[in-house]
C-alpha cells in the first residue's frame, strides 16, 4: 500500500478512527506536551543558564564562558605538546576540541535563534573569538608536530585501537587542509583568510534569514493577515510555499527573493575567499578541498560517475514535472494558469495532485496530523526499533530561550538516559524559516570523570502554534521535515563514541544525511504512519549543481547569471527577473561544495530501506543492526565501511546510480491519468 493510498484509507475509514478517538481520550505524555500550549510557571528561585550552563543566565555570561574555555585551551595545548606520543595525545586533542566546541556550538545556535538581541550579539562575538583561536590552532606547528610524532611511529600506531587511530588521522587532516605545510608567511595569510571567512560566513548566514519588507499599501488589504506587520510595512520572512493562495505565494516569492546588493557583494567575496584559500593550501578549487574527507575521498571517479549518470534522466524528468504541474495548475485554478509560469512555489501543487487523485479534502485528514500524534508515532517507532523512549521534561527557569521550547529526555530500556533533545518547533518573530539540527554538546567518554558526557541537540522547525481549540496540525511537508530532523537527532543520541570529535553527526557530510533521509522512508510507510503523502524535491540536483559551480573555478560572471542558467538546465523552469534565490541558500555556508551529499545520502538511504526495512519497518533485529553498524560510530569509522556493514555487501557505482534514479523517476503520468478519471 502506498503512502497516498494509506492516506485515502484513513479518510475513508474515519468513522473507525472516530470510534477509537472516543474510546481512547488520553494522550501519552509526549503527545500531550506537543499538542497543548505551554503553561507559564512562576519561578521564585535563582535562574539557571541556557541549557543548564550556569554562566549563561545573561548575555555577559558568554564572555565568562569564552574566557574559561580559552584558559583551558592554553593548558591543554601545553599538555598536548609536551606529553609523550600515545593514546593520551589523542585524548588531550579531543578534550581541547570538546572544550572549544561546547561554547562555540552553543553560541552558533544562540546567535540565530535567541529572541533577545543582546544574547544574539554576545553569542556572535563568542563565535568569532573562538573561531579565530581554532584557525590559529589549526596552523600551530608545535601542536601538529606532537600529532605527527604519534602517527609517524609505526610501533605506537600499532598499539592504538581503530577509533583512536582514526581520530588522530582526522585531527592531522584538519591541520593539512588548513595549510600547516606552508611557510610562516603563507600560514599567516591562510589564517587571515580563515578569519575573514568567519565574518563573511556569519554575515551571509544572518542575512539569508532576514525578512524583506514592503509598504502595506502595495499589497491587497485582504492578504495582510498572511504576513507580519511592521508599522506601515509588511514583513515577508519566507516563501509561504504551503499557502493554497496563488497570490500569497507570488507576493512572497517576489519580495522575499528580491536582490539585496550588500548580500550579493558578500556572496561574491565569500566565494572569492574560499577559492583563494583552496589555491593557497594546494587545491585546484574549494570544491576539490571540500571533497577531501567524504565518502568519495578516495574515488573522485566514483563521484563523477555517480553525479553525472543521473543527468540523462533529468531532461525527461523536468519536462514531465513541468507538464504535470502545469496540468494540475490549470485543473485547480483555471483562471490563474498564466501566473504559474512566474511562481516556483509548487508544494501545494504536489499535495493537490494526491488529493485530486484520491478525492481527499485537506479538512478531512488534517485532524489526524497533529504534532502530538506525530511525536507519539516517532516515539513508538524508536521504541520498536531501538528500545528507546522520548520522555517529556519540564525545563528549569532560564534553561530555554523561549517558553514554547519543549525538552525531551531520550531513554533506553536498559542503557538508561542517552541524551537530551530541545524542540524549538514553533514560529516566532525573527526566527529563521529553516528546519535544522544543531549539536550543542557532543557525546564522549570522559577520562577525567569516568562518565559518559551525554549529547545535547536542538531541533528547529517553524510550525504554527497550537490554539485554545486545536493543536498544531501539520502539512505533509511539515511532517516530512519533522521526521528528517529527528533522524539527525537520533544519530546524535544513539552514538556512543569514545571521542566527541566524531560523535553523532560529526562525520563526513555525505554520510550525515543518510539517517535523516532514511527517516523519510519510515514516514511514507503505511505500517509506520498511515496518514502521510510525500513528494520528492526535484530541486536537490539543481542545488547540488549550483553549489558545485559556485565552488569550482571562477566563472567571471555574476552568481545570478549562473543561477539563471542552472535553473533553466536542471529545474526546467524560467528564472523570474529581479529575484536572487542564491542569497537565501544558507546551505552554501554549512554545505559549501558538499550539497551533493543529499543525493549521495538519498542513494544510500534508498538501498538501506529497500534491503533492510521495506519488508518490516518495525523489525527490532534490523533496528539494532542499523544502530550497531551505522548510528553508533558517528565519524569514528569510514562511512563506506558502515554502509557495507549494514548492507552486508559492497555496493557498486551502478547500485548507487540505480538507487538514486529510482527515487528521481516516479511515474507522474499515472497521477495525471488518474485525476482525469
Amino acid at each position: 500500500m502506498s503512502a497516498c493510498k494509506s492516506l485515502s484509507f484513513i479518510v475513508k475509514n474515519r468513522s473507525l478512527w472516530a470510534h477509537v478517538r472516543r474510546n481512547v481520550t488520553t494522550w501519552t505524555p509526549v503527545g500531550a506536551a506537543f499538542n497543548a500550549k505551554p503553561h507559564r510557571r512562576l519561578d521564585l528561585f535563582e535562574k539557571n543558564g541556557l541549557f543548564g550552563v550556569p554562566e549563561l543566565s545573561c548575555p555577559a555570561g558568554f564572555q565568562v564562558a569564552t574566557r574559561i574555555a580559552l584558559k583551558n585551551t592554553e593548558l591543554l595545548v601545553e599538555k598536548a605538546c609536551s606529553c609523550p606520543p600515545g593514546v593520551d595525545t589523542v585524548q588531550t586533542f579531543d578534550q581541547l576540541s570538546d572544550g572549544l566546541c561546547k561554547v562555540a556550538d552553543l553560541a552558533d545556535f544562540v546567535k540565530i535563534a535567541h529572541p533577545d538581541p543582546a544574547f544574539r550579539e554576545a553569542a556572535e562575538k563568542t563565535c568569532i573569538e573562538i573561531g579565530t583561536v581554532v584557525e590559529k590552532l589549526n596552523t600551530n606547528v608545535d601542536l601538529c608536530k606532537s600529532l605527527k610524532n604519534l602517527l609517524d611511529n609505526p610501533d605506537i600506531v600499532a598499539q592504538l585501537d581503530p577509533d583512536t587511530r582514526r581520530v588522530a588521522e582526522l585531527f592531522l587532516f584538519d591541520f593539512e587542509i588548513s595549510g600547516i605545510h606552508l611557510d610562516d608567511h603563507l600560514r599567516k595569510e591562510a589564517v587571515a583568510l580563515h578569519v575573514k571567512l568567519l565574518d563573511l560566513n556569519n554575515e551571509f548566514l544572518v542575512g539569508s534569514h532576514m525578512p524583506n519588507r514592503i509598504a502595506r499599501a502595495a499589497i491587497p488589504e485582504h492578504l495582510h493577515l498572511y504576513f507580519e506587520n511592521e508599522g506601515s510595512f509588511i514583513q515577508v520572512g519566507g516563501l509561504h510555499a504551503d499557502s493554497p493562495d496563488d497570490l500569497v505565494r507570488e507576493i512572497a516569492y517576489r519580495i522575499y527573493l528580491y536582490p539585496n546588493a550588500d548580500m550579493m557583494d558578500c556572496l561574491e567575496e565569500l566565494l572569492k575567499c574560499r577559492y583563494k584559500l583552496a589555491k593557497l593550501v594546494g587545491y585546484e578549487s574549494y570544491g576539490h578541498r571540500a571533497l577531501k574527507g567524504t565518502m568519495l575521498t578516495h574515488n573522485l571517479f566514483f563521484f563523477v560517475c555517480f553525479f553525472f549518470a543521473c543527468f540523462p534522466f533529468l531532461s525527461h524528468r523536468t519536462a514531465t514535472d513541468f507538464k504535470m504541474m502545469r496540468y494540475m495548475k490549470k485543473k485547480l485554478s483555471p483562471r490563474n494558469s498564466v501566473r504559474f509560469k512566474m511562481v516556483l512555489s509548487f508544494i501545494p501543487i504536489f499535495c493537490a495532485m494526491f488529493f485530486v487523485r484520491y478525492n481527499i479534502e485537506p479538512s478531512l485528514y488534517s485532524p489526524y496530523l497533529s504534532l502530538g500524534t506525530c511525536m507519539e508515532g516517532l516515539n513508538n517507532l524508536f521504541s520498536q526499533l531501538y528500545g528507546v523512549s522520548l520522555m517529556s521534561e519540564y525545563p528549569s527557569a532560564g534553561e530555554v530561550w523561549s517558553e514554547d521550547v519543549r525538552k525531551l529526555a531520550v531513554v533506553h530500556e536498559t542503557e538508561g538516559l542517552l541524551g537530551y533533545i530541545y524542540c524549538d518547533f514553533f514560529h516566532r518573530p525573527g526566527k529563521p524559516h529553516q528546519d535544522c539540527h544543531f549539536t550543542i554538546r557532543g557525546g564522549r567518554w570522559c577520562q577525567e570523570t569516568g562518565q559518559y558526557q551525554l549529547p545535547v541537540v536542538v531541533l528547529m522547525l517553524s510550525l504554527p502554534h497550537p490554539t485554545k481549540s486545536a493543536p498544531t496540525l501539520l502539512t505533509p511537508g511539515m511532517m516530512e521535515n519533522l521526521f528528517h530532523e529527528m533522524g539527525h537527532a537520533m544519530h546524535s543520541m544513539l552514538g556512543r563514541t569514545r571521542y566527541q570529535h566524531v560523535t553523532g553527526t560529526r562525520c563526513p557530510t555525505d554520510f550525515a544525511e543518510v539517517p535523516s533521509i532514511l527517516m523519510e522512508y519510515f514516514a511514507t510507510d503505511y505500517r509506520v504512519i498511515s496518514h502521510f503523502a510525500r513528494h520528492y524535491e526535484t530541486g536537490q540536483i539543481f542545488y547540488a549543481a549550483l553549489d558545485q559551480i559556485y565552488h569550482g573555478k571562477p566563472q567571471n560572471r555574476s552568481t545570478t547569471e549562473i543561477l539563471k542558467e542552472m535553473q533553466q538546465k536542471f529545474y526546467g523552469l524560467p528564472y523570474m527577473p529581479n529575484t536572487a534565490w542564491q542569497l537565501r541558500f544558507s546551505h552554501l555556508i554549512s554545505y559549501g561544495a558538499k550539497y551533493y551529499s543529499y543525493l549521495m545520502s538519498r542513494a544510500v538511504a534508498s538501498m538501506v530501506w529497500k534491503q533492510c526495512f521495506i519488508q518490516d519497518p518495525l523489525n527490532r533485529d534490523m533496528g539494532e543492526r542499523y544502530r550497531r553498524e551505522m548510528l553508533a560510530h558517528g565519524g569514528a569509522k569510514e562511512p563506506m565501511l558502515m554502509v557495507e556493514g549494514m548492507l552486508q555487501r559492497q555496493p557498486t557505482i551502478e547500485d548507487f546510480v540505480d538507487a538514486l534514479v529510482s527515487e528521481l523517476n516516479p511515474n507522474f503520468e499515472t497521477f495525471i491519468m488518474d485525476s482525469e478519471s
Side-chain angles (χ1 to χ4, degrees):
M1 182 184 287
S2 70
C4 299
K5 290 181 180 177
S6 65
L7 181 59
S8 178
F9 173 83
I10 281 199
V11 174
K12 289 178 180 177
N13 294 276
R14 57 185 181 276
S15 60
L16 170 63
W17 288 99
H19 172 77
V20 173
R21 191 169 64 251
R22 283 193 296 270
N23 287 279
V24 184
T25 57
T26 58
W27 293 96
T28 65
V30 71
F34 287 89
N35 264 357
K37 298 188 78 170
H39 296 289
R40 293 197 175 191
R41 186 179 69 176
L42 289 175
D43 289 283
L44 304 177
F45 303 102
E46 185 179 354
K47 243 188 173 184
N48 294 288
L50 290 170
F51 298 102
V53 179
E55 294 84 5
L56 301 184
S57 59
C58 64
F62 272 103
Q63 286 183 308
V64 178
T66 302
R67 196 160 53 244
I68 293 171
L70 295 183
K71 182 64 177 176
N72 289 336
T73 295
E74 292 177 7
L75 298 175
L76 289 168
V77 168
E78 185 178 339
K79 179 180 178 181
C81 292
S82 59
C83 71
V87 175
D88 283 349
T89 306
V90 183
Q91 289 175 343
T92 303
F93 266 81
D94 195 62
Q95 278 184 266
L96 176 59
S97 173
D98 182 56
L100 292 170
C101 285
K102 277 194 288 194
V103 180
D105 289 344
L106 192 157
D108 224 18
F109 168 73
V110 171
K111 76 178 182 184
I112 68 166
H114 204 291
D116 186 342
F119 267 99
R120 293 200 302 270
E121 184 179 344
E124 185 177 328
K125 289 179 179 177
T126 288
C127 287
I128 293 172
E129 188 171 356
I130 290 187
T132 301
V133 170
V134 169
E135 299 307 338
K136 290 180 178 178
L137 290 176
N138 283 340
T139 53
N140 184 312
V141 175
D142 292 334
L143 200 57
C144 180
K145 192 179 295 183
S146 68
L147 205 57
K148 283 185 69 66
N149 288 341
L150 166 65
L151 291 172
D152 289 345
N153 189 322
D155 294 332
I156 297 177
V157 169
Q159 298 174 25
L160 301 179
D161 63 88
D163 285 4
T164 300
R165 178 175 178 175
R166 175 160 171 80
V167 170
E169 291 169 346
L170 289 173
F171 277 122
L172 185 61
F173 170 71
D174 289 339
F175 283 111
E176 290 170 348
I177 66 170
S178 297
I180 194 69
H181 55 285
L182 302 174
D183 61 37
D184 288 346
H185 173 72
L186 292 179
R187 272 202 311 275
K188 288 179 181 178
E189 186 178 344
V191 170
L193 281 170
H194 274 294
V195 172
K196 184 177 181 180
L197 279 169
L198 287 174
D199 291 334
L200 289 169
N201 289 346
N202 184 68
E203 181 183 345
F204 186 83
L205 193 60
V206 172
S208 68
H209 297 303
M210 291 294 290
N212 279 342
R213 65 180 193 168
I214 191 172
R216 287 169 57 88
I219 295 179
E221 189 172 348
H222 70 283
L223 298 179
H224 288 185
L225 58 91
Y226 292 99
F227 305 103
E228 291 183 21
N229 291 301
E230 185 190 2
S232 60
F233 292 91
I234 292 289
Q235 274 196 0
V236 181
L239 292 175
H240 290 258
D242 281 325
S243 174
D245 192 301
D246 292 1
L247 191 53
V248 169
R249 297 198 305 275
E250 181 176 352
I251 289 171
Y253 192 90
R254 288 182 177 277
I255 297 172
Y256 187 63
L257 299 185
Y258 192 80
N260 178 297
D262 291 337
M263 282 288 288
M264 201 73 78
D265 291 342
C266 176
L267 178 56
E268 297 280 1
E269 186 63 22
L270 187 153
L271 294 175
K272 287 178 184 176
C273 282
R274 283 181 170 178
Y275 179 74
K276 186 176 180 180
L277 175 63
K279 294 291 286 184
L280 180 64
V281 298
Y283 293 93
E284 187 176 334
S285 70
Y286 189 83
H288 287 78
R289 179 180 183 267
L291 193 62
K292 297 287 286 184
T294 66
M295 275 200 277
L296 304 177
T297 295
H298 305 298
N299 201 336
L300 182 59
F301 176 73
F302 186 108
F303 167 70
V304 173
C305 291
F306 167 73
F307 193 76
F308 288 99
C310 303
F311 285 4
F313 297 90
L314 290 177
S315 58
H316 171 71
R317 170 65 194 273
T318 53
T320 304
D321 287 358
F322 193 78
K323 176 185 175 184
M324 179 274 300
M325 290 187 288
R326 180 187 290 277
Y327 173 86
M328 291 305 302
K329 181 69 175 181
K330 287 181 178 179
K331 189 175 182 71
L332 295 169
S333 304
R335 295 181 180 179
N336 298 319
S337 58
V338 175
R339 183 177 295 124
F340 172 78
K341 295 180 181 179
M342 300 185 294
V343 184
L344 296 181
S345 304
F346 294 136
I347 292 176
I349 301 298
F350 281 101
C351 295
M353 177 177 64
F354 298 129
F355 306 148
V356 169
R357 184 181 183 191
Y358 293 102
N359 195 25
I360 300 172
E361 283 292 329
S363 61
L364 296 179
Y365 76 83
S366 60
Y368 302 101
L369 292 176
S370 74
L371 177 58
T373 298
C374 296
M375 293 303 296
E376 286 189 347
L378 284 165
N379 189 34
N380 181 60
L381 175 63
F382 297 148
S383 176
Q384 295 201 52
L385 285 180
Y386 315 122
V388 163
S389 298
L390 305 177
M391 311 279 236
S392 178
E393 288 193 3
Y394 203 97
S396 303
E399 185 179 350
V400 295
W401 49 100
S402 179
E403 65 177 13
D404 55 16
V405 174
R406 302 334 195 239
K407 179 183 179 183
L408 295 176
V410 181
V411 181
H412 189 272
E413 60 191 21
T414 59
E415 299 171 31
L417 182 62
L418 298 181
Y420 292 101
I421 303 172
Y422 289 84
C423 301
D424 188 357
F425 283 175
F426 301 104
H427 172 73
R428 60 178 174 270
K431 180 181 175 182
H433 284 258
Q434 185 175 1
D435 301 338
C436 42
H437 162 275
F438 295 85
T439 296
I440 302 300
R441 185 177 70 200
R444 75 180 183 100
W445 177 255
C446 300
Q447 287 290 127
E448 55 272 31
T449 63
Q451 295 181 327
Y452 196 82
Q453 177 174 285
L454 298 178
V456 176
V457 304
V458 173
L459 295 188
M460 190 165 75
L461 306 177
S462 191
L463 303 177
H465 283 269
T467 65
K468 291 181 180 179
S469 59
T472 295
L473 303 180
L474 306 188
T475 66
M478 291 173 183
M479 189 169 187
E480 180 179 275
N481 291 344
L482 170 63
F483 272 66
H484 180 100
E485 300 304 334
M486 192 60 79
H488 285 307
M490 295 310 292
H491 194 181
S492 296
M493 294 296 110
L494 292 172
R496 274 301 177 266
T497 54
R498 180 176 177 182
Y499 300 101
Q500 73 82 36
H501 192 63
V502 292
T503 185
T505 56
R506 287 178 181 158
C507 58
T509 312
D510 50 5
F511 182 79
E513 292 298 329
V514 172
S516 55
I517 292 175
L518 184 61
M519 280 298 296
E520 296 173 19
Y521 287 87
F522 285 99
T524 64
D525 191 277
Y526 74 96
R527 293 161 294 183
V528 180
I529 299 172
S530 58
H531 42 49
F532 179 71
R534 77 176 175 103
H535 69 279
Y536 177 77
E537 295 177 334
T538 312
Q540 281 190 2
I541 292 183
F542 160 63
Y543 303 151
L546 186 69
D547 179 43
Q548 288 297 315
I549 292 175
Y550 277 170
H551 289 99
K553 294 181 179 179
Q555 295 285 307
N556 296 319
R557 52 184 174 148
S558 72
T559 56
T560 301
E561 290 172 318
I562 297 171
L563 170 77
K564 184 176 180 180
E565 179 187 330
M566 292 299 102
Q567 182 170 305
Q568 183 64 48
K569 185 174 182 180
F570 296 109
Y571 234 146
L573 297 169
Y575 165 76
M576 183 187 289
N578 295 317
T579 62
W581 176 86
Q582 73 273 25
L583 302 184
R584 300 295 184 179
F585 191 20
S586 59
H587 280 74
L588 286 173
I589 301 304
S590 55
Y591 279 70
K594 296 180 182 178
Y595 201 91
Y596 78 89
S597 300
Y598 281 99
L599 298 174
M600 188 72 178
S601 294
R602 185 167 291 279
V604 173
S606 176
M607 287 188 283
V608 171
W609 172 257
K610 290 173 181 175
Q611 181 173 319
C612 305
F613 289 107
I614 196 168
Q615 294 300 321
D616 180 5
L618 303 178
N619 185 296
R620 178 64 179 271
D621 290 339
M622 203 57 72
E624 292 292 350
R625 187 210 287 185
Y626 178 49
R627 182 187 181 187
R628 182 176 65 251
E629 296 292 345
M630 294 185 75
L631 297 181
H633 304 286
K637 192 174 180 180
E638 286 285 351
M640 281 296 190
L641 294 179
M642 290 189 271
V643 174
E644 291 170 14
M646 186 64 196
L647 299 177
Q648 297 187 343
R649 63 185 175 87
Q650 186 174 15
T652 64
I653 293 177
E654 289 75 16
D655 290 330
F656 278 89
V657 173
D658 290 345
L660 184 60
V661 168
S662 70
E663 293 298 303
L664 293 176
N665 201 30
N667 188 356
F668 283 131
E669 287 88 346
T670 302
F671 289 110
I672 292 177
M673 289 187 293
D674 283 0
S675 68
E676 291 175 334
S677 60

